[in-house]
Amino acid sequence: MVDPTQEPTAATGRRPSRVVYVAPESTAGGVGHYSDIFVEELRRQIDDVIEFRHPGPGTDTVATLRRRHREILAAVDASGRVALHAELSGGSVESFWPTAFVERRVPSVVSTATVHDPPGVVWLPGRTRLLSKSRVASHALHYPGRPVTRAVERRVIGDRSMFALTHAGADALGAAFPRATVHHVPLLVLDRPEIAPAHERPRAVGMFGLVYRGKGFEHISRIRAALDPSIALRVAGRGTEALPPVDGVEILGGLDGTDLDDFFGSVRTLLVPYGQRTLYGPVFPASSVAAHAIAYLTPLVSTAHGALAEMADDGGAVVVGGPDDDADPIPALSAAAQSLVDDDERLRRLVDELTVVRADRSPRNVVQRFVDVWSR
């Protein structure tokens, strides 16, 4: 069931004396980066944190998974109140199987997980190192076996508590796992240097993120053609350096540090033209691209795909269309971005909304919500 409060409230019980944290390594994509920030703040709030960090999906053998399971059991079987928390995303058998059924072996442990790609917990539960060598074999096993996968996920999750980073994700998890308790906690937003207010930046639209199916980078040429030639279009993120060049588009590649600060300081709005990214059905992840925009107080113009529709209610975003709208979104998105670029009053209002959202989603506030649930 979904927790009727949706967001955890102040704790009434005892804080855990130890948290055992199972998550991908820093280099294992977006969830690995998220885990770095999460555990850094967690150590500020909990004195005893034991980390089990693993490589990205499809890297572990069955023997490695079993060994990690034994090590986790030893870590949670301690005196005091212990919480076991895992980061679960598509294909992440490295966190899924080693934390399975731990609460049955050690009943005193509080076992929870953040599900990054709801409504599925792991999506590809058989994707060990051997199977990951063949993408065809992996999908041949998992795609027709989706009902079996969901049954396995329900069996492993049982009545544990799960966290979703979007409201839509929490609702989807609650429907898929009726025995579990689901909490909504928003994706944390990092502290970033203050840059020029959006209305004072160059007249430019930005696109940002990892190049991946469904992210909309294939529409760059059409977006460029739809925008007024006097408005610059700047594109950044890992993998963008491999995109074909387009006249009138500045492609910057992956950026970090001050280069990333400069990118957001050079655009008035960020365009998020997402669409369906997987054949396995709807997915409701939180957008790390949106989290970057919030951190830099950069208004967004987005489709309503997946959980993106929520951004209109959260504040700081213009959402075009509806979640079930099959119409081509590019003309409407481009028009909305162009209109926003030259609307100083609207930019100021959206930045005011983003300022409130950024404060609410600071790492300290977000991690405190997890600690409150474990304490209850």
Side-chain angles (χ1 to χ4, degrees):
M1 64 178 181
V2 176
D3 180 356
T5 65
Q6 284 297 296
E7 296 192 7
T9 56
T12 57
R14 290 189 300 125
R15 292 164 68 90
S17 56
R18 169 182 290 180
V19 175
V20 177
Y21 185 62
V22 186
E25 296 171 348
S26 306
T27 56
V31 179
H33 178 65
Y34 165 91
S35 302
D36 287 345
I37 308 305
F38 185 95
V39 77
E40 180 181 359
E41 176 58 37
L42 181 61
R43 289 187 180 279
R44 295 189 179 101
Q45 301 190 30
I46 301 293
D47 291 333
D48 186 6
V49 177
I50 298 176
E51 293 182 66
F52 290 89
R53 304 295 290 271
H54 55 73
T59 54
D60 277 354
T61 64
V62 173
T64 306
L65 297 174
R66 287 176 172 171
R67 182 172 62 252
R68 187 175 302 124
H69 180 72
R70 292 192 298 268
E71 292 170 349
I72 290 170
L73 281 172
V76 301
D77 192 9
S79 59
R81 184 175 175 82
V82 179
L84 169 63
H85 186 71
E87 304 291 347
L88 301 177
S89 58
S92 61
V93 299
E94 291 76 12
S95 290
F96 180 74
W97 288 117
T99 58
F101 308 121
V102 167
E103 71 280 2
R104 301 180 193 182
R105 295 283 298 275
V106 186
S108 61
V109 73
V110 177
S111 183
T112 64
T114 297
V115 180
H116 288 265
D117 296 309
V121 171
V122 67
W123 292 90
L124 310 175
R127 195 184 177 201
T128 58
R129 182 188 300 175
L130 179 62
L131 192 62
S132 67
K133 291 179 180 179
S134 171
R135 184 176 179 181
V136 172
S138 179
H139 288 301
L141 172 68
H142 290 110
Y143 188 78
R146 285 170 292 166
V148 175
T149 293
R150 188 50 50 84
V152 168
E153 290 176 327
R154 282 196 295 266
R155 172 70 173 165
V156 170
I157 293 299
D159 59 0
R160 291 160 66 182
S161 287
M162 294 188 288
F163 296 86
L165 304 179
T166 65
H167 287 291
D171 291 342
L173 282 175
F177 300 90
R179 290 177 53 200
T181 300
V182 181
H183 304 274
H184 167 253
V185 176
L187 181 64
L188 54 81
V189 173
L190 296 179
D191 293 328
R192 294 298 188 190
E194 293 296 329
I195 56 178
H199 69 280
E200 296 180 3
R201 300 176 197 170
R203 292 179 68 248
V205 172
M207 291 178 64
F208 175 73
L210 172 67
V211 175
Y212 188 77
R213 183 175 57 250
K215 294 295 185 72
F217 287 101
E218 68 274 17
H219 301 306
I220 289 176
S221 295
R222 297 178 58 213
I223 294 168
R224 176 63 277 176
L227 291 173
D228 188 285
S230 66
I231 297 175
L233 178 59
R234 298 190 170 100
V235 179
R238 285 188 296 143
T240 59
E241 64 276 1
L243 294 172
V246 177
D247 288 342
V249 178
E250 187 177 359
I251 298 178
L252 302 170
L255 301 176
D256 290 301
T258 58
D259 290 336
L260 188 60
D261 303 339
D262 292 342
F263 167 74
F264 277 93
S266 72
V267 298
R268 294 190 176 189
T269 184
L270 202 67
L271 196 61
V272 187
Y274 289 3
Q276 183 69 24
R277 70 174 192 172
T278 174
L279 298 175
Y280 284 75
V283 186
F284 302 98
S287 171
S288 61
V289 170
H292 275 85
I294 295 168
Y296 286 104
L297 300 181
T298 302
L300 297 108
V301 175
S302 169
T303 65
H305 178 74
L308 294 177
E310 296 175 10
M311 296 192 303
D313 294 328
D314 294 339
V318 176
V319 177
V320 176
D324 299 319
D325 190 351
D326 293 329
D328 178 6
I330 300 305
L333 280 173
S334 303
Q338 179 163 314
S339 174
L340 183 59
V341 161
D342 290 322
D343 191 336
D344 287 4
E345 181 179 350
R346 197 176 189 193
L347 285 170
R348 287 190 181 97
R349 177 173 59 79
L350 292 172
V351 167
D352 288 343
E353 294 172 357
L354 288 171
T355 302
V356 175
V357 174
R358 183 174 68 173
D360 177 64
R361 299 184 183 183
S362 69
R364 181 180 181 277
N365 288 342
V366 169
V367 173
Q368 181 62 56
R369 290 165 171 153
F370 285 83
V371 174
D372 287 348
V373 169
W374 299 331
S375 299
R376 291 202 302 270

